[in-house]
Amino acid sequence: QQQVKQSPQSLIVQKGGISIINCAYENTAFDYFPWYQQFPGKGPALLIAIRPDVSEKKEGRFTISFNKSAKQFSLHIMDSQPGDSATYFCAAAAGAGSYQLTFGKGTKLSVIP
Amino acid sequence: ETGVTQSPTHLIKTRGQQVTLRCSSQSGHNTVSWYQQALGQGPQFIFQYYREEENGRGNFPPRFSGLQFPNYSSELNVNALELDDSALYLCASSTRTGPHLNTGELFFGEGSRLTVL
């Protein structure tokens, strides 16, 4: 059972455009929602994370929007750059002590000049 | 760089064999988690260790086992290898102030790519 559904599977965006990746979850016990960025040959790296007590979190060009009632959250990348080309994973975890992340299947983002 | 190092980076085994993967945590981190990432998929949680004890386990069979040492480095052992075990195995370290208190961020290594023939 896939507990975190991520879409789209791949995304092509023009330089300067906005990249939007969506995730939906099923487990209402989830209370920590990070996004990870992975370049080829590298491990995932934390990009930004949110807890359900806020509906939006912004760090630089990256914003998470969170809709608790719909059990959905999304990543927006503003002014997308070729260097943002990577695979992005949403994830979720339950409980303050948990490092047991449930990941989505990933979105391969390509930003073209 | 995250300061998490894994070895070996690549290895090839045959079905039925056993493999040991190693991970050196970032300095000061007391918790290690292991994830399996199949090609084109997101990482899947295998288990985590806090202060040398298993502190959580995902949906993996007992032939997947691990150890954490006093210096917080870790090993992942897989017995009776199957073709479906071919994947990138990721180690992640983090800091925990208590058994059930995390500080949020996992730092991943670059992984060990296992191919089972």
Side-chain angles (χ1 to χ4, degrees), chain A residues 95-99, chain B residues 30-31 50 55 94-104:
Chain A
S98 177
Y99 285 115
Chain B
N30 58 15
T31 303
Y50 169 68
N55 190 239
S94 48
T95 300
R96 187 171 279 200
T97 55
H100 304 290
L101 294 171
N102 75 31
T103 58

Side-chain angles (χ1 to χ4, degrees), chain B residues 35-101:
Chain B
Y35 285 78
Q36 180 196 65
Q37 186 176 20
L39 200 62
Q41 301 294 314
Q44 274 196 291
F45 176 76
I46 303 174
F47 44 56
Q48 64 186 2
Y49 281 82
Y50 169 68
R51 292 188 174 178
E52 302 176 57
E53 290 195 4
E54 188 177 293
N55 190 239
R57 188 177 183 94
N59 188 25
F60 280 81
R63 61 189 184 83
F64 285 77
S65 63
L67 283 172
Q68 187 182 30
F69 300 101
N71 66 354
Y72 303 132
S73 65
S74 177
E75 285 184 357
L76 165 65
N77 299 287
V78 187
N79 295 321
L81 284 168
E82 300 177 359
L83 298 179
D84 284 349
D85 296 334
S86 296
L88 180 69
Y89 287 85
L90 294 163
C91 168
S93 75
S94 48
T95 300
R96 187 171 279 200
T97 55
H100 304 290
L101 294 171

